[in-house]
Amino acid sequence: MATTQQLFDDLSQEYLIRPTVSTGRMLHAEGLKVNGKVFAFLSNDRLILKLPAERVIALVANGEAHIFTSGNRKMREWVAITTQETWEPLLAESYTFVTSQTRAP
């Protein structure tokens, strides 16, 4: 079975071929950016994604995720995913969400 870093790296390759996607730092981790805005990164073997607040609430309610906290602050549009089987579709959701919130430079 692949490590979380290997899985993230493999999934990242699908996005890095897109001209608006790059890598960048987010909270001491390398993450994926679209149009300069971070949409995904790894933290403590969890995939951290930016999603609409309503989607975050639904994923947490279903037990599929945890609200991501930075220090003592709960991030309402960030969610921590541990179940690797859901990473690919949720990463796609995150990319779509952040793309809709940004404009190409």
Side-chain angles (χ1 to χ4, degrees):
M1 180 160 198
T3 67
T4 54
Q5 186 65 56
Q6 289 169 325
L7 178 57
F8 182 72
D9 291 345
D10 289 347
L11 292 172
S12 296
Q13 294 309 309
E14 298 176 33
Y15 292 90
L16 290 170
I17 60 173
R18 302 170 192 196
T20 58
V21 175
S22 61
T23 59
R25 302 292 290 171
M26 177 71 171
L27 302 175
H28 309 290
E30 191 73 17
L32 291 173
K33 292 178 161 187
V34 60
N35 298 324
K37 300 292 182 181
V38 175
F39 68 97
F41 65 96
L42 279 183
S43 177
N44 299 321
D45 290 329
R46 302 171 304 162
L47 179 63
I48 311 302
L49 300 171
K50 183 170 180 128
L51 292 167
E54 307 81 40
R55 182 67 169 130
V56 169
I57 291 167
L59 288 167
V60 171
N62 290 337
E64 297 177 58
H66 303 280
I67 293 175
F68 178 67
T69 58
S70 178
N72 292 328
R73 185 173 174 220
K74 290 183 179 181
M75 310 298 283
R76 72 179 191 94
E77 288 189 329
W78 289 92
V79 66
I81 312 293
T82 55
T83 306
Q84 293 182 4
E85 293 77 22
T86 62
W87 283 19
E88 189 171 2
L90 291 174
L91 183 61
E93 279 187 52
S94 180
Y95 169 79
T96 300
F97 172 62
V98 175
T99 299
S100 74
Q101 302 291 304
T102 63
R103 292 190 334 211

